[in-house]
Amino acid sequence: MSDYLEGVRERVVLLGISPRLDTPSWSAPWFAVSTFAYDAMTSHGIPRINEVEPRTEQVRQRELKKIEEYKGLIDLVEAKIQDQNDTLEALQLTSKLLTLNPEYYTIWNHRRRILQHQFSPPSPREASLEGEPDESPYAGLAEDTLELITSDLNFVFSLLRKFPKCYWIWNHRLWLLQQASIHLPASEVRKLWEGELLLVGKMLSLDNRNFHGWGYRRTVVAALERQELRDESVGASMVKAEFDYTTRMIRTSMSNFSAWHNRSRLIPRMLDELAASDDDRRKILDEELILIQEGLYTDSRDQSLWFYHQSLMCTFDPVLASHSMAPNLSKDDRLVYIKSETDKLLEMLEDDRDCKWIYQALIQLVILDKSISGSWPILPEIMATWVASLQALDPLRQGRWVDLEQSIRAT
């Protein structure tokens, strides 16, 4: 580790930064540490290839040369910014710099300014210099704009493949599509958004838990559902198709916070659009309970599963039920569901007494049962042993468990 830190320190000092590597909050230009930070990390169980070369003198000199070239490129781009140079040549320079360092958000802003200038019609003077005197300044503008946007989307995609978690890349891609909606015909804009849906589907197939990708997918779907971009042959709503998509992704891997979250947002909307009856809503609820139970039996330690399970349990809480998928359950129905879920959790507990999530879910269900029925379905003494288990399994939240124990006694 000392060699690693020394290598980083040397690169940062060469860039004119005074690093504090002895503290966890030190900061340095992304480029100085990208070789280590991106290659050494793992993301959702997907290892990144470590391409760090041995620290020979030859490697050191090659890195020094790269750093000097990078600093020179920064100076050149900043000079263009100062001169308000909005030419395609300046755009190419920003491409080179962002390829090296996509976290340099100031350069993304400058790139957008250049593109906005290119999207605008030329002034009469510029038009007279570039075209025939009687030619409209708008002639060919839409074609040029489409070409620019398509080219930039391709450039951004090449960066996304390397840096799928970089906020600035995703932000810029959305900005390009927003500009397309302003400057291009609806038919062309829809083609671009449809291409984005295919692209984000491909990216999620490579890393199905990338929350950037899931958030971007929701934005793409919302755009395709807009009236001006709607495909009448498909219908106004894509909610059922997206619900089915989350099912496929969850079947591929149950451990997926983003897929479960997306599903929780889609179900109420889907039921409302279908004008589902209370029986239809209960059917969906039963199916979701079966699905989450399959996941919990497979991996009782998966936090994403317990979060979704907890959201389903809100259906049985009279205070929260109005926003759930089955808001009109009767008191007796709620108690039957709670009893069924409690029995399942007790069965799981017999096989896994070291899983804190089971204890938490059991306590929450028993307290909910008490709030509805007015009496404890399980002896408080037994619940006290569950709280004690939580204190042993999760000592970092000792204060929380003490408060929980006190609230149970008070009730």
Side-chain angles (χ1 to χ4, degrees):
M1 179 59 73
S2 59
D3 292 341
Y4 165 83
L5 291 178
E6 193 58 39
V8 175
R9 186 190 301 274
E10 183 177 90
R11 289 163 176 76
V12 175
V13 171
L14 286 169
L15 285 168
I17 303 297
S18 178
R20 295 181 59 200
L21 297 181
D22 56 325
T23 67
S25 59
W26 73 282
S27 60
W30 176 93
F31 180 73
V33 295
S34 63
T35 305
F36 297 96
Y38 276 90
D39 292 340
M41 67 181 267
T42 59
S43 175
H44 300 151
I46 303 174
R48 299 185 186 276
I49 299 174
N50 191 341
E51 298 177 353
V52 180
E53 301 179 65
R55 293 282 298 161
T56 65
E57 181 61 25
Q58 183 180 7
V59 171
R60 180 178 176 276
Q61 291 301 322
R62 187 160 60 247
E63 290 174 346
L64 289 175
K65 182 180 178 182
K66 287 182 179 179
I67 290 173
E68 289 302 319
E69 291 174 352
Y70 175 72
K71 292 171 66 177
L73 184 56
I74 289 177
D75 294 339
L76 184 56
V77 171
E78 288 182 347
K80 299 287 185 183
I81 295 174
Q82 291 296 323
D83 294 341
Q84 295 187 351
N85 188 320
D86 296 330
T87 62
L88 293 178
E89 177 192 0
L91 187 69
Q92 288 300 318
L93 289 174
T94 66
S95 297
K96 291 182 180 180
L97 184 51
L98 291 169
T99 300
L100 292 173
N101 181 3
E103 298 283 357
Y104 202 157
Y105 59 86
T106 302
I107 304 304
W108 284 112
N109 292 335
H110 183 56
R111 186 179 186 86
R112 285 190 279 273
R113 188 164 64 83
I114 295 174
L115 287 169
Q116 280 183 322
H117 177 78
Q118 296 295 325
F119 296 156
S120 304
S123 66
R125 181 175 179 277
E126 291 172 329
S128 65
L129 292 174
E130 297 176 7
E132 296 297 329
D134 58 347
E135 185 178 355
S136 168
Y138 291 91
L141 184 61
E143 291 81 359
D144 294 341
T145 299
L146 176 59
E147 183 178 349
L148 274 172
I149 290 176
T150 303
S151 175
D152 220 44
L153 286 171
N154 290 334
F155 166 69
V156 171
F157 176 64
S158 67
L159 295 182
L160 275 179
R161 295 178 66 183
K162 293 181 180 179
F163 312 103
K165 303 296 179 66
C166 178
Y167 283 93
W168 314 114
I169 301 176
W170 290 103
N171 290 347
H172 186 74
R173 196 167 188 91
L174 275 179
W175 179 85
L176 286 170
L177 292 160
Q178 290 164 358
Q179 294 301 303
S181 300
I182 296 171
H183 297 286
L184 299 176
S187 58
E188 295 294 343
V189 176
R190 179 169 181 85
K191 290 178 183 177
L192 291 175
W193 282 108
E194 287 175 338
E196 294 304 290
L197 190 60
L198 294 174
L199 177 137
V200 75
K202 178 64 176 177
M203 294 197 70
L204 288 175
S205 69
L206 299 175
D207 181 2
N208 60 11
R209 300 200 306 178
N210 184 342
F211 70 91
H212 295 274
W214 280 98
Y216 190 73
R217 186 180 182 93
R218 286 192 291 272
T219 302
V220 172
V221 170
L224 289 171
E225 288 179 327
R226 292 204 307 262
Q227 186 172 2
E228 62 270 22
L229 299 181
R230 191 176 299 163
D231 186 348
E232 298 301 334
S233 64
V234 176
S237 175
M238 298 174 63
V239 64
K240 181 59 169 64
E242 287 302 292
F243 174 78
D244 293 340
Y245 178 77
T246 64
T247 303
R248 293 196 300 273
M249 297 300 282
I250 287 169
R251 289 297 185 187
T252 300
S253 172
M254 288 275 189
S255 182
N256 192 328
F257 283 95
S258 297
W260 289 114
H261 170 70
N262 215 34
R263 191 177 186 86
S264 69
R265 295 180 59 175
L266 289 167
I267 290 176
R269 181 185 161 194
M270 181 176 67
L271 291 171
D272 288 342
E273 290 184 3
L274 293 172
S277 65
D278 288 343
D279 289 340
D280 293 334
R281 290 173 177 273
R282 287 190 59 166
K283 181 180 178 182
I284 292 292
L285 174 60
D286 292 341
E287 291 173 353
E288 292 303 294
L289 290 171
I290 292 172
L291 178 63
I292 196 64
Q293 205 66 43
E294 288 178 11
L296 291 175
Y297 279 130
T298 302
D299 185 1
S300 62
R301 308 300 177 95
D302 192 320
Q303 190 177 19
S304 68
L305 301 175
W306 287 109
F307 278 13
Y308 190 67
H309 180 269
Q310 186 178 38
S311 73
L312 292 177
M313 297 304 102
C314 292
T315 309
F316 313 131
D317 188 339
V319 178
L320 304 174
S322 61
H323 301 289
S324 70
M325 66 181 73
N328 299 323
L329 292 175
S330 68
K331 174 182 175 180
D332 290 340
D333 288 337
R334 297 182 198 280
L335 290 173
V336 168
Y337 273 113
I338 292 172
K339 175 69 165 58
S340 174
E341 290 301 309
T342 303
D343 290 342
K344 292 174 186 176
L345 292 175
L346 288 171
E347 183 180 337
M348 289 178 62
L349 188 61
E350 293 179 3
D351 298 325
D352 192 352
R353 294 193 173 275
D354 293 332
C355 177
K356 73 165 191 172
W357 300 106
I358 301 177
Y359 291 108
Q360 280 187 251
L362 275 171
I363 292 172
Q364 290 167 353
L365 280 174
V366 171
I367 292 175
L368 180 57
D369 191 310
K370 166 70 164 55
S371 69
I372 297 174
S373 66
S375 60
W376 289 110
I378 290 179
L379 292 175
E381 292 79 5
I382 296 178
M383 294 182 65
T385 65
W386 295 345
V387 176
S389 296
L390 282 174
Q391 292 173 330
L393 293 169
D394 191 3
L396 293 178
R397 294 173 177 80
Q398 194 69 231
R400 178 183 177 185
W401 309 134
V402 170
D403 288 344
L404 178 60
E405 185 176 24
Q406 291 174 351
S407 66
I408 292 173
R409 288 176 178 173
T411 308

